Amino acid sequence: MFALLAGLDAGLLLLGLDAPVTTERLPDVHGMLLVLGFVGTLISLERATALGRPYGFIAPALLGAGAVLLVTDPVPLIVAKWMLVAGAAGFVLLCVPLWRRQYDAALLTQLLGAALALAGALIWTGQDTLTRVIPWLIGFVVLTIAAERVELARITMGPGAGIRLLFHAWAVTGALVVGLVLPDVGAILLGLALLSLAGWLVVHDVARRTIRATGVTRYMAACILAGYVWLGVAAVVLLLGEPTGQAAYDAVIHAVFLGYTFSMIMAHATTILPAVLRIRLPYRPAFWVPAALLQVALIVRVWFGDGLGMPVAWQTGGVLGVAALLLFFATAATSALLPQAPAEKPSAARETTPDAVSHTASGFSPRERDE
C-alpha cells in the first residue's frame, strides 16, 4: 500500500500537479513503484500464500523493501534497484516449487512471467530510464495475470488452455528478446502476441458468459472483459512500432498497467485479498463506482489525451485514474468494516467464486482439488 500511494503521488507530479509528498527522485521511480513495488509484491504475496512455506514470504518482503528504498533519497538509487532484483529473483525461486507440484503449463507461465520481471529489474540497474525496461514489465504482468485466469477458469477453457497460454507466453518472450536488438520489430511482434492472447482470452474466458449474471459475478466479468479490451488497445499501438513518441508510450503503459492490470485486481479483490490477508471482504454494489471511474479515466487519457493530442484531457484522465484507485481501496476498506451483507445465491460459474480461488491458492486447480 505504501508503494501504491507513493506511486500515485509520483503520478500527480508527472502530470504537473501538486502532490502531498515530493522527494528528489519520486517522479523517476513512478513506474517501478507501481509495477514491482505494488503489483509485484501483491502477486508474490499471493503466490507465497499458495506455497504455504515461511521462506516464500522472502520475495514479497524484498520487493516491498525495495519500494521503500526507491523513495528514500539518502539511500543510493542503485541499492534500491538491486533490492528489487533480489526480490524478483526470490519471486522466480518462489514459483519453482509451485510449478513442481503439478508441472502445469499455467504455473510454468507464471514462472516465466516472474523471470521476465527479474530480467526487467536487471536491465534497470544499468539504465537511467524505463524505456528498455517497460516491455519486460509488460510481459510480467500480462503473463502472470493471464495464467491466473487460466488457473481459475480452466474447466470452461478446456484441457488445452494451458498449452495455448504457454505458446503465447513464449511468443511474448521471443518478441522481448528480438526487441533488445531490433526495437521496432520487437514491438510489432509483441503487439501481435498480445493481440492474439487478448483475443483468445476474450473468446474462451467464462467472463464472456457470466457478464449476463448478477451481483459479484457480473461485476467480476465486467472488470475482466474491460481488462482484455485495454490489453488489445495496447497491442494495437505496439503494432505501429516502438512507442518512442510520448503519446504512444503513455497510451501503451497506461492501457496495460492501469487498464489491464488494475481492472483485473479490482475483479479479483473480493476473492484473492481475503485468502491472502485473512480478512473478510464482501462484495457490495459500491465497487462498481471506482471500476467504472477507472474506465472513464482511461478513455479520457488514452483516447482524448494521447490519441487526439488534448493536454487537458491527458491531465484530467490522469487525475481521474488516481481518484479511481484511491476510491477503490477506500471502498474495499469500508466493505471490510461494515457488517456482512446477505449471501448471494451460488453462481453456476464455480471458477469465479471464492471457493475456486481458495482451491487455486493451495496450488491446485478446482478440478484437481475436487478429485
Side-chain angles (χ1 to χ4, degrees), residues 166-335:
L166 191 57
F167 171 80
H168 285 96
W170 285 116
V172 168
T173 304
L176 295 175
V177 173
V178 171
L180 291 174
V181 182
L182 302 169
D184 277 329
V185 176
I188 294 171
L189 292 176
L190 180 60
L192 289 171
L194 295 182
L195 191 61
S196 176
L197 176 61
W200 174 69
L201 288 170
V202 167
V203 170
H204 293 90
D205 200 305
V206 68
R208 195 164 61 91
R209 296 192 292 275
T210 56
I211 190 66
R212 295 187 290 270
T214 58
V216 64
T217 305
R218 186 173 193 176
Y219 164 78
M220 292 177 68
C223 291
I224 290 166
L225 293 176
Y228 293 154
V229 169
W230 287 114
L231 181 59
V233 169
V236 170
V237 177
L238 287 170
L239 292 179
L240 303 176
E242 184 185 16
T244 53
Q246 177 60 33
Y249 180 79
D250 187 82
V252 169
I253 61 176
H254 288 91
V256 172
F257 297 124
L258 274 184
Y260 174 76
T261 304
F262 276 94
S263 290
M264 292 295 183
I265 290 174
M266 289 182 174
H268 297 94
T270 58
T271 53
I272 296 295
L273 291 181
V276 172
L277 301 179
R278 301 293 191 264
I279 61 173
R280 178 186 58 84
L281 185 59
Y283 161 79
R284 301 179 194 277
F287 277 107
W288 281 97
V289 178
L293 182 59
L294 177 63
Q295 309 311 316
V296 171
L298 285 162
I299 291 172
V300 172
R301 178 168 188 158
V302 175
W303 181 263
F304 293 98
D306 296 323
L308 300 181
M310 300 171 60
V312 174
W314 173 77
Q315 194 175 62
T316 301
V319 173
L320 290 176
V322 171
L325 298 186
L326 291 176
L327 180 59
F328 173 75
F329 286 101
T331 303
T334 303
S335 179

Side-chain angles (χ1 to χ4, degrees), residues 328-371:
F328 173 75
F329 286 101
T331 303
T334 303
S335 179
L337 294 173
L338 290 178
Q340 175 73 54
E344 293 186 65
K345 294 180 179 179
S347 170
R350 293 184 61 254
E351 59 274 20
T352 60
T353 65
D355 184 54
V357 175
S358 66
H359 290 168
T360 302
S362 67
F364 297 92
S365 71
R367 177 183 296 171
E368 292 165 331
R369 183 72 174 189
D370 288 344
E371 290 173 352

